[in-house]
Amino acid sequence: PQRGPPIAVASGWIAPFQRALPALGVAGFAAWLLCTPFRVDVPALPQSRAVAEVQADAALKARGVTPGPGWRKSAAPRLAPGDPGQGPWHEFVWREAGPDAYAKLLGHTLAPPLWEVRYALFDGPVAERAEEWRVFVNGDGSPRFVHHALPEGRAGAKPDREAALALAEGAIRDRLGQDPRALTPIGAEERQRPARTDWSFFFADPRVDVGKDAQARVAVGVAGDEVVSVGRLVHVPEAWQRALREREGRLTIVKLVLGAAFALTALAALVTAVLSWTRGDCDRRAMTAVIAIAFAVTIAQVANHWPKIEMGFATAEPVAAQASIAMGGMLLAGLVASLLYGLTAGVGAWGAQRQPLRPLAGPLPAWAAGVAALLLTAGAGAVVEALTPRTVPLWPSYAFEEAWMPALAAALEGARVLTLSGVALFLLHWLSRVTGDFTRRRWLALAVLVLASCAAGFAGGDDAVVAIIAGSAQGLLAAVVVYALLRFDPCTVPAFLAAGIVLQAIETAARKGTPAGWAAFAVLLAAAALSAWAVTRYLGRARASAPAA
């Protein structure tokens, strides 16, 4: 296409929309502030990994246990959302007993955000490596739950039911601070090991109301003459669990349909990108830079999230073998993703450089117009989510705290603007080609943007219903923004993406409400702003020097 001289912005409603962006951005930001739930339904987890490990060491020492140098220690936040064991308990109480009852039970029957600290052996006889300690630390530093896993062949006592029950009742009194006589025994399970007898006891707590037909329980594990676990749980009615599985099954079908449609669209776009590259319609400098940056980010992420990865290692296998497999698999996946990022960035940058010049109407420069457009879409999405009933309690994200260095994790999250900008520019270039510069088949652009918005909601862990409703609304508005703004000036794109990442980071920091959370936000803000500036500067310079085609 000929670049030619600058052309006027399209007529009709587009120019008034661009002129109104300052007011629309302010209105969107105000709506986002008013409708976004910054307060969560759970207490914060203020400790760092190092502090949690010290507190876990103290909890074991109080039980007379001091792991030696052969024990490997790892830690990660433990949250109920996404946990197949605890997640349904929290969801049931929230739905059936109500938010007020949920708030009262959180920290007692229901676990708040915790640090899980694991002590494991990876050297020595394989049978002995089955021994593990896991300490779950509350936000105030107190241990909530300590679990000791023993090898099946470990010798021990063989208590009868009455002796083991006495140990269990003593543990309830000492560790939970609760009178076992106020509980109702409902079951006991005996397991014969080669050289000892293990018992599991379950008690109902009739004083705790967790919702219709559900039951608050206390579970105690006894191995020989040692109490290895004492914890609280919620017994959810089978009928409710069955209804939940059926509902999730229906939503899974919707997810599969959306995922298949999105995958087919992505495949078609990828084929277009490969064909463009083979024809030389690609900015090779941008492609090479993005591949290098994306792969470097992958290496940094693997190293920074190693404590979380190590938590999943099995003690029966050598650490070196598991580390090699895990590292090799993640680096290979990262290399493939980096090549795809680079390919789309190269083609997208090439298309942006040869796009006809279309000055924007209104007083805002391109980057500010992109920010205002994002604020508008974010505000509309927050309003839609506020009108959608919440079916699960709201928990903060502790993705940065999982990393070895949370500040580095925040910086890498902000740097995603570099790779996402390439994908977005390629998407705009591809949509422009298949729609004849948005003059035909506009429904295709609308469908792609709605699918992308819904997929982003699912990937972010949103409730399925909220992800579909809010994603559809945001996709519709995103189509308006693409048609009326982003396609006119590619320099609006990096700021648009950076503003979205920054708003999400504000939500995360506000929901945690900790100094460390706001410090991570400051790092992310700087990284996102710097990345958006770098991409915008590159596009401006490359566009000015691009040859007419």
Side-chain angles (χ1 to χ4, degrees):
Q2 295 292 332
R3 290 181 63 216
I7 61 175
V9 71
S11 59
W13 60 272
I14 296 179
F17 174 84
Q18 293 180 357
R19 294 191 187 98
L21 272 176
L24 292 175
V26 171
F29 185 61
W32 180 79
L33 287 175
L34 291 174
C35 297
T36 299
F38 293 107
R39 296 185 62 183
V40 291
D41 303 306
V42 299
L45 188 62
Q47 308 102 316
S48 64
R49 169 181 279 101
V51 173
E53 290 179 349
V54 171
Q55 293 165 338
D57 290 344
L60 289 185
K61 188 175 182 180
R63 286 167 169 74
V65 178
T66 303
W71 292 82
R72 297 175 69 97
K73 181 166 52 179
S74 54
R78 179 72 175 268
L79 310 177
D83 188 321
Q86 297 186 51
W89 307 346
H90 288 253
E91 186 173 349
F92 176 87
V93 174
W94 178 268
R95 290 186 177 184
E96 303 300 327
D100 292 338
Y102 180 84
K104 294 178 181 178
L105 294 174
L106 196 66
H108 182 266
T109 304
L110 297 172
L114 304 169
W115 273 101
E116 179 183 1
V117 184
R118 180 195 187 198
Y119 301 79
L121 289 168
F122 291 92
D123 297 315
V126 174
E128 292 301 314
R129 295 184 208 161
E131 183 175 11
E132 281 190 13
W133 286 92
R134 291 182 184 259
V135 182
F136 298 83
V137 182
N138 288 310
D140 60 4
S142 61
R144 174 176 174 85
F145 181 70
V146 179
H147 176 68
H148 186 198
L150 289 175
E152 288 194 4
R154 178 73 58 84
K158 297 184 177 182
D160 58 17
R161 178 189 175 97
E162 295 303 319
L165 179 60
L167 290 173
E169 291 177 342
I172 293 173
R173 186 180 298 106
D174 297 337
R175 300 186 189 180
L176 299 183
Q178 192 168 354
D179 186 355
R181 294 173 297 180
L183 305 176
T184 303
I186 58 173
E189 181 182 349
E190 178 184 8
R191 291 184 296 275
Q192 291 293 337
R193 304 302 185 191
R196 70 171 191 273
T197 301
D198 293 352
W199 288 88
S200 295
F201 294 97
F202 299 93
F203 304 83
D205 193 342
R207 299 172 303 174
V208 179
D209 181 15
V210 293
K212 183 181 179 181
D213 299 330
Q215 197 175 61
R217 293 183 176 180
V218 173
V220 183
V222 178
D225 57 358
E226 178 187 355
V227 177
V228 294
S229 64
V230 182
R232 295 184 174 93
L233 57 92
V234 176
H235 175 70
V236 177
E238 178 60 32
W240 189 88
Q241 295 187 60
R242 188 165 51 252
L244 177 64
R245 288 193 295 268
E246 292 175 355
R247 183 170 61 253
E248 290 179 344
R250 292 191 294 270
L251 291 174
T252 299
I253 295 175
V254 176
K255 291 181 182 180
L256 290 175
V257 172
L258 291 175
F262 185 76
L264 290 175
T265 304
L267 180 60
L270 181 60
V271 170
T272 303
V274 173
L275 293 176
S276 297
W277 173 69
T278 57
R279 292 193 301 264
D281 298 343
C282 178
D283 184 338
R284 296 186 180 276
R285 185 172 59 168
M287 181 180 70
T288 304
V290 170
I291 290 175
I293 292 172
F295 191 60
V297 167
T298 297
I299 295 174
Q301 287 177 331
V302 171
N304 200 30
H305 284 82
W306 194 252
K308 176 67 175 179
I309 298 170
E310 192 179 31
M311 284 281 289
F313 284 176
T315 57
E317 300 292 334
V319 173
Q322 295 183 80
S324 299
I325 294 173
M327 188 180 302
M330 286 182 287
L331 291 180
L332 179 60
L335 178 59
V336 173
S338 300
L339 293 173
L340 293 177
Y341 281 133
L343 176 63
T344 55
V347 176
W350 182 90
Q353 293 162 23
R354 286 156 177 79
Q355 177 180 323
L357 297 175
R358 301 174 182 178
L360 301 179
L364 296 179
W367 69 268
V371 172
L374 187 281
L375 294 177
L376 173 61
T377 59
V383 171
V384 173
E385 289 189 21
L387 297 176
T388 305
R390 195 148 48 89
T391 58
V392 293
L394 186 62
W395 283 56
S397 170
Y398 289 95
F400 295 159
E401 285 75 7
E402 290 181 352
W404 200 349
M405 299 173 61
L408 177 58
L412 295 177
E413 177 69 14
R416 285 201 309 136
V417 173
L418 294 169
T419 53
L420 293 180
S421 294
V423 174
L425 290 172
F426 168 73
L427 180 61
L428 287 174
H429 173 65
W430 178 68
L431 289 177
S432 179
R433 289 187 58 183
V434 298
T435 61
D437 197 19
F438 297 91
T439 59
R440 61 180 185 270
R441 292 193 295 271
R442 295 175 185 172
W443 62 267
L444 178 60
L446 176 63
V448 169
L449 294 171
V450 169
L451 286 173
S453 296
C454 292
F458 284 123
D462 293 343
D463 177 74
V465 176
V466 174
I468 293 173
I469 295 176
S472 299
Q474 286 183 306
L476 291 172
L477 188 54
V480 173
V481 170
V482 167
Y483 183 75
L485 176 69
L486 300 184
R487 70 187 179 102
F488 287 92
D489 192 335
C491 290
T492 58
V493 173
F496 181 88
L497 296 173
I501 292 176
V502 168
L503 284 191
Q504 183 62 49
I506 293 175
E507 285 187 41
T508 300
R511 289 172 180 177
K512 286 187 288 193
T514 61
W518 285 110
F521 162 73
V523 174
L524 182 146
L525 173 62
L530 180 61
S531 299
W533 172 83
V535 176
T536 304
R537 181 180 175 86
Y538 179 83
L539 288 175
R541 290 187 170 185
R543 186 183 178 110
S545 60

